[in-house]
Amino acid sequence: MLNWIQILEQLGMVLLVGGLIGAEREFRSKSAGFRTMILICLGSWVFTTISMSIGHSSDDRIASNIVTGIGFLGAGVIFKADNRINGITTAATIWATAALGMGIADGAYTVVLIATAAVLAVLWMLSPLETVIDRINQSHTYRIVSEYKEDLLKEYERMFDDCHLRYKRLKRTKRGDSIIGTWYAHGSEKNHNKFTKMLMHHPAVKEFEF
């Protein structure tokens, strides 16, 4: 069982690690921010510490249940918006923060500090690289509503080709005097912008979304 000095020492580590990671998430206005990350780190530390004091035979069982519980918590921050899946990075950060809390309870301070630095480096330093990659290759689902004309959808697909966008037609629907086409396309941000400008000036297009 830990003495008071060890408890305060580990609690300080929990606040430091959870606070640093939480501050980065809070700065980026993510759903799991400063207080959430501290509480996740604190909770996993408490569960692991108590499991170690209960008995060695149950250590791995309680630790594995922490991982399972954190998985459900992480799933709660993942959502779909604007044809994209958001929150996966925050969910992974929750999972990593819980692991760091378990490491603090085990007394593996060196590993925890190195891992915390690695987590912050990934979240902070690799974000600009992710932005560059996203500009080079973006994916959008286009839904275009137009006046019904023969071979109009093929005309849109020629526009995809002209804009150097790789595409796949997902669905087409005729509704009254309108035809609705849906495509999944990916390419650079510049090419997507070029395609949307062409749609805005196309006389047959009633509305579109992506």
Side-chain angles (χ1 to χ4, degrees):
M1 188 68 182
L2 299 175
N3 58 44
W4 281 105
I5 295 177
Q6 291 173 317
I7 291 174
L8 292 175
E9 184 181 73
Q10 291 193 358
L11 184 58
M13 284 282 292
V14 166
L15 295 175
L16 175 65
V17 170
L20 286 173
I21 296 174
E24 190 279 337
R25 295 284 84 189
E26 191 76 35
F27 179 78
R28 298 184 186 276
S29 301
K30 300 301 180 180
S31 54
F34 187 69
R35 292 177 298 175
T36 304
M37 290 301 176
I38 291 177
L39 290 173
I40 289 169
C41 194
L42 177 64
S44 61
W45 170 70
V46 170
F47 274 120
T48 306
T49 301
I50 292 175
S51 70
M52 293 171 68
S53 65
I54 290 174
H56 294 292
S57 61
S58 61
D59 288 357
D60 56 345
R61 178 174 59 83
I62 295 179
S64 64
N65 286 334
I66 293 173
V67 176
T68 302
I70 288 297
F72 282 105
L73 186 61
V77 301
I78 299 174
F79 61 96
K80 183 177 181 181
D82 298 328
N83 298 313
R84 297 189 63 177
I85 304 298
N86 297 322
I88 296 178
T89 300
T90 300
T93 306
I94 289 173
W95 180 69
T97 303
L100 293 171
M102 295 170 67
I104 293 170
D106 191 49
Y109 300 145
T110 302
V111 173
V112 168
L113 290 175
I114 293 173
T116 300
V119 169
L120 291 172
V122 169
L123 292 175
W124 190 265
M125 298 174 63
L126 295 186
S127 182
L129 178 60
E130 187 179 34
T131 301
V132 172
I133 294 173
D134 193 47
R135 287 177 180 172
I136 294 173
N137 188 40
Q138 293 184 355
S139 299
H140 293 294
T141 300
Y142 287 90
R143 181 179 179 273
I144 306 172
V145 182
S146 312
E147 299 174 1
Y148 179 77
K149 290 183 180 179
E150 194 71 26
D151 295 330
L152 183 59
L153 299 187
K154 290 183 179 179
E155 181 180 341
Y156 293 146
E157 290 174 353
R158 287 193 294 270
M159 289 166 57
F160 278 120
D161 291 330
D162 292 340
C163 294
H164 305 289
L165 293 173
R166 297 179 296 278
Y167 65 89
K168 178 181 180 181
R169 188 191 296 181
L170 302 178
K171 186 171 62 173
R172 60 179 177 180
T173 307
K174 187 178 184 301
R175 188 173 298 163
D177 61 348
S178 299
I179 186 167
I180 304 170
T182 306
W183 293 265
Y184 176 79
H186 54 100
S188 69
E189 181 182 33
K190 179 181 178 181
N191 291 339
H192 279 290
N193 290 338
K194 180 181 178 181
F195 181 73
T196 55
K197 287 179 180 178
M198 292 175 69
L199 288 177
M200 291 175 66
H201 294 93
H202 197 288
V205 175
K206 293 182 177 180
E207 61 181 85
F208 69 93
E209 60 182 42
F210 65 97

